[in-house]
Amino acid sequence: MSRMGSVVAAGVIAASTMVNAQQQLTPLQRVKASIERTTRSVNATWGIYVKSLETSEEIAIDADRQMETMSTIKIPLMVEVLEQIKAGKFALTDKYTFVQADSQPGTGTIQRLDPGAVMTVKDLITMMIIVSDNTATEVLYRMVGGPEAVNRRMDALGLKNTRALNVPSRWFPSLRSAPTTEQFYREGKYPFGLTTPREMGRLLEMMERGTLVDKNASELMLRIMRGQLYRTRIPRYVSGYTIPHKTGDFLPFVGDDVGMLEAPGRTIVISVFTGNHFGSGEALENAIGLVAKEVADYFAYRH
C-alpha cells in the first residue's frame, strides 16, 4: 500500500472508531458530550449541574467547582428571610419605607422611587428576585442579620460551599474604587457570593419538592421565580416549559443562571455558572441558552 493509501486508511479507521464510540454512548452521555462542545465554543470557566426529579438522571460538568454566584446568592437570602418569617421574627405583610440611604446602584427599580415609597417584605423579596433589585437585597440582608445569617442557614442545610460574602453597600464601593472593572474581577477580592452548581441544584430541588423552609414557603418562592424578567439565558431557546429561575451577572466576566424546567410530569433542575470570561457577553448568554435547550429537548424526548 502506498504511503498516501496508508494515511487514508488510517483516517478511515480513526473516523470509524469515533463513530463506534459515539454509538456506544447512552442518550444521556450524548447530550452531555453535546453540552461540553457548546461550552468549549466560549472561552470561559464552566460549572453545570442538571437533574431530573422524576428519573434522577444527572449531568454534572465540574459541578463541584466553587464559583462566583453574583445575584444567584439572592436565592439563599430569600430562603433565610422566609425561615425567619416562619420563626415569627417578622411577616410578609410588614411594611418598609424607602429611604435614600438604602439606595443601591446596579439592577433594580427601588433606587428610582421617591423616598417615602412604602412596600411590604413580600414586595422586597419579589423585586430582589424578578428584577434582581439591589436596594431590596440590602434591606433584606439587614433584616435577617447579614450574610452570616444566610451562611448559618446554608450550613444547616448541608450546603457548606454556599457562602454569602458581601452586601451591595460594600460590594459597589469596592468596585468603584478599583482602577478598572476587569482588574477588580481578576483580583477576586470581593466575591458577592460563592457556591457550586451541585449545591445550588440541591437547594432548588428542595424547593421543588416542597421541603425548603416548608411547603407554603417553597410554593411562594417558586411563584416569585416564575415571574423572572431576565430571560436571555436558560429560557432563551426553550419552549414548552415554565421556567422559575434566577440570574447572576457581572458581564462579561460572569454570567450565571439557575432554575427549573417545569412541564406536566417532569421537572428538571438546571444550574449553570460561568466565570473568567473576557469576550462578548452576548456570546456567553447565547451559549447558556444553547446548553438549556439541549437539556430541555433531551428530557422532552425522554418523556
Side-chain angles (χ1 to χ4, degrees):
M1 185 183 290
S2 68
R3 184 178 178 188
M4 179 61 73
S6 298
V7 170
V8 171
V12 170
I13 291 168
S16 176
T17 301
M18 286 180 64
V19 169
N20 288 336
Q22 183 72 12
Q23 288 173 342
Q24 290 170 6
L25 294 176
T26 67
L28 188 66
Q29 288 169 333
R30 282 200 291 273
V31 77
K32 180 182 179 183
S34 182
I35 288 170
E36 288 173 328
R37 284 194 295 274
T38 298
T39 65
R40 287 194 293 270
S41 72
V42 174
N43 187 15
T45 301
W46 289 79
I48 298 171
Y49 177 76
V50 173
K51 182 178 180 181
S52 163
L53 302 194
E54 284 69 41
T55 67
S56 296
E57 291 171 286
E58 291 183 340
I59 297 170
I61 300 170
D62 284 332
D64 298 309
R65 183 199 298 271
Q66 196 179 44
M67 301 183 72
E68 165 68 78
T69 63
M70 292 309 299
S71 287
T72 64
I73 200 65
K74 294 170 183 177
I75 297 175
L77 173 54
M78 173 171 62
V79 172
E80 178 58 18
V81 172
L82 291 172
E83 283 281 9
Q84 292 197 16
I85 288 171
K86 180 183 175 184
K89 294 185 179 178
F90 45 88
L92 283 171
T93 53
D94 285 354
K95 300 292 195 299
Y96 161 74
T97 302
F98 175 50
V99 294
Q100 195 60 43
D102 288 336
S103 182
Q104 298 298 319
T107 49
T109 57
I110 297 175
Q111 61 182 300
R112 295 172 176 84
L113 302 179
D114 292 332
V118 178
M119 54 211 83
T120 65
V121 171
K122 183 183 177 184
D123 293 336
L124 293 173
I125 299 170
T126 301
M127 287 187 280
M128 176 176 73
I129 297 299
I130 71 170
V131 292
S132 210
D133 196 293
N134 289 319
T135 302
T137 304
E138 181 77 14
V139 174
L140 290 171
Y141 263 128
R142 187 170 67 229
M143 289 180 66
V144 300
E148 300 76 19
V150 175
N151 294 338
R152 286 193 297 272
R153 185 68 56 190
M154 294 302 105
D155 284 342
L157 292 170
L159 306 178
K160 306 291 187 182
N161 290 307
T162 301
R163 303 288 91 178
L165 296 171
N166 269 296
V167 297
S169 60
R170 288 203 302 261
W171 192 86
F172 282 103
S174 300
L175 173 62
R176 284 195 294 266
S177 66
T180 66
T181 55
E182 183 173 328
Q183 185 173 329
F184 174 83
Y185 174 71
R186 286 186 183 275
E187 288 178 351
K189 292 180 180 177
Y190 303 99
F192 204 63
L194 296 170
T195 192
T196 71
R198 192 187 306 272
E199 285 199 353
M200 187 62 77
R202 285 173 59 195
L203 197 68
L204 298 175
E205 179 177 350
M206 286 184 266
M207 191 186 297
E208 279 286 358
R209 294 194 187 282
T211 62
L212 192 54
V213 186
D214 58 29
K215 186 170 180 58
N216 288 339
S218 290
E219 289 176 354
L220 174 62
M221 288 187 277
L222 286 168
R223 282 200 303 274
I224 291 171
M225 289 174 63
R226 289 181 191 120
Q228 175 60 246
L229 294 181
Y230 300 130
R231 302 183 62 81
T232 53
R233 294 176 197 169
I234 288 175
R236 190 180 186 111
Y237 300 118
V238 174
S239 59
Y241 290 91
T242 300
I243 307 175
H245 68 116
K246 179 75 191 81
T247 56
D249 288 271
F250 190 20
L251 291 175
F253 319 113
V254 175
D256 304 329
D257 203 356
V258 303
M260 291 71 93
L261 307 178
E262 299 174 330
R266 62 186 183 275
T267 302
I268 302 100
V269 166
I270 177 167
S271 177
V272 181
F273 290 87
T274 68
N276 299 310
H277 178 259
F278 301 95
S280 159
E282 168 63 20
L284 184 64
E285 291 196 311
N286 185 67
I288 295 171
L290 292 171
V291 167
K293 184 178 188 301
E294 292 271 8
V295 171
D297 290 352
Y298 170 75
F299 285 104
Y301 166 76
R302 285 280 286 120
H303 188 69

